[in-house]
Amino acid sequence: MTTKGEQKNFLVRFLTMNTSNEVGGRDLPLWRQLLLQILTLLITLEVMFPIMYIITLSFSSQTTRPSSLQLIPREISFVAYQQVLDRPTANPVTFLELLRNSFLLSVGVGLVALMIAVTAAYAFSRFKFKLRQVLMIMVFIPLLMPAVGLSTPLFLLMNSFRIVECSPGVLAFNPFTTCSTTGKLLFNLRDSLLGVGIAMISGALPFAIWNLKGYLDTIPRELEEAAAIDGASPNQVFFLIVLPLAVPQLAVTFFLGFIGHWQEFALPWLFLTKPQDYTLSMTLYNMTGQYANAIPWNRFSAFAVIVALPVAITYIALQKYITSGLTTGAVKG
Amino acid sequence: MATMEIAGSVSRGARIRRALLPYLYLLPAFTVMAVITFYPLVYQIIVSFTDFQTKDLRFGLASPQLNWIGFKNYIDILTGGLPVQNFEFFRVLTYNFWWAITNVMLHVPAGVLIAVLLNVQGLWFKKIYRAIYILPVVVPPLVVATVWRNIFDEQYGAMNQFLTTVAMWFGATDPVRIRWLTEYTPPIPWLLPNGPLPLAYYAMMIANFWLGWPFMTVVATGALQSIPKDLYEAASIDGASDSQQFWHITVPLLRPAMIPAAVYGFTTSFNLFAFVYFMTGGGPARTTEILVTFAYDLVRNLRLYGAAAAFSVFIFFVSLTVFLITNRITRATETYTEA
């Protein structure tokens, strides 16, 4: 396996590779050059086909379904974008609410997981202690489970946390206190963004610990040793030296998490029933397949573009870190 | 670590504090994981021995209607005793492996070949091609799946429209109406003896190919750059042809980078939940169902929570096996690199 540093730079090197110092670079015969250009153009067509298709559709003002293939926009109309921002689906929920829910989940889960993970990652990276191996395996085991694998118990456990109004003014907090009669359900943790967030943290936390530990292992220890010799306590070493050094990687872990959580679909789609809690990816699903007959394709396309943009922008901004992060998380599906 | 110890006399209290410090640092993470990861894992195993269903949701494990049925869920899953149509555990399992393996077998060679193509000396517009070829990596798979689903639409989809245009060139008059995602009859019946591979499988292979090869190209390009140029020069002086150079220099030297990438691609495809769920939902008749989408269907739509829990236990052991095998393969390449 190649070293970490090499992998980290794959994407950057892929895009900026220096091609001028290649030997014999100019003597590619013209017929070969043309042949290779045809090949690369064909591949370009393959890559651009769905992208141009969806962009063309999204700029169309026609609400009827496409009757012929169009890959280059004939008109630039923002009607579809406007309609989608106005009222994405038949559900009584605005685009801003969907955006807020997606953001709350992806940013909240990312931040909380990171804050909890960083001290654990530090302990695994720097301390030698008796249960180290056992505890590290305990962190690793959930990583083996595909995210969907824990959805049943999380669903059932969250579902048992309910606030019920037994009679006016009398509340019962299931499962700690219960009503003698059936009351009015006020709140169900399972059917709330909070519950989905907690369930998502369950998957995000082991990943964050593992990812951060891998990075902390690569930070040289000289600084910490020097500080310790100067009389800094281990806590001071952590908060004043390691934490500031780890900020770039904390950011990368956060954004990698963000990319994943932004697309999270399985848990919200399983947990949430109220339209005002829906996220962007749930709405995207609602726009295709059996429920989608009423949604014009130009609106669906505009929505797909909007959902894809934050991820694409984050990726491009972070490209030099992405590959390493992906291979670190290779265990998780 | 020894680095943390300070030479000299340390009082006993300080030593104990130091010994406890790592556990203090682990406390927040493990407290949270105990509640939302480990407890659910245990709960999952407990529930898997019951016939937990919608009627038990109100009282949970204390529900008076809840029956403890031992290993019945596990046996039902293996023998097809679940009250679910068109489900056969070993068919889904083989299909899942087949799906992941065939994907990797297409993505890796295509990715390597395109990387080699982009690496040809003196090729024009290299940088533009590189920037374009990276686009599929940055689009969320969720969006990719929905877009391709529309592309494969029987009536209005771009694929049939494209094929219609091509067919017209050859004199056809009727529009092409291939039922990409709903046709049940497998086009090549003998390909997977264990079960049908419907047209939807090929449609998904096409869509996932679009999604998958660029990542392999990125990895392969990086590895290609680290192959010393003089190896090729020496080979061509010795009279080795281009294809000989490719098979005897490029391929062996790319192997250490491509095997971990292939393993990553395999695990990703193996559990590609959102993509499969968005494109076909496992249909038609569960023929494109993979383990994770079936587990999801058990809990979301069929609401057989006990069976879903048992099924997830199976998934865990399958994932563990996959991990142990792939880990061994990756390890083997590590020693290969060192040698």
Side-chain angles (χ1 to χ4, degrees), chain A residues 34 46 49 87 95 125 136 144 183 234 240 294 313 316 321:
Chain A
L34 291 178
E46 192 257 356
F49 170 66
R87 191 151 186 238
F95 179 82
S125 171
M136 270 175 66
L144 286 175
L240 300 178
I313 292 169
I316 290 163
Y321 304 103

Side-chain angles (χ1 to χ4, degrees), chain A residues 90-101:
Chain A
N91 283 328
V93 57
T94 64
F95 179 82
L96 279 183
E97 284 173 305
L98 294 173
L99 186 72
R100 182 203 58 199
N101 295 340

Side-chain angles (χ1 to χ4, degrees), chain A residues 289-304:
Chain A
Q290 51 182 338
Y291 315 102
N293 292 325
I295 309 276
W297 279 20
N298 62 343
R299 234 184 283 177
F300 155 77
S301 309
F303 196 77

Side-chain angles (χ1 to χ4, degrees), chain A residues 300-320:
Chain A
F300 155 77
S301 309
F303 196 77
V305 172
I306 292 173
V307 174
L309 270 183
V311 172
I313 292 169
T314 316
Y315 251 114
I316 290 163
L318 285 181
Q319 45 183 253
K320 78 171 173 169

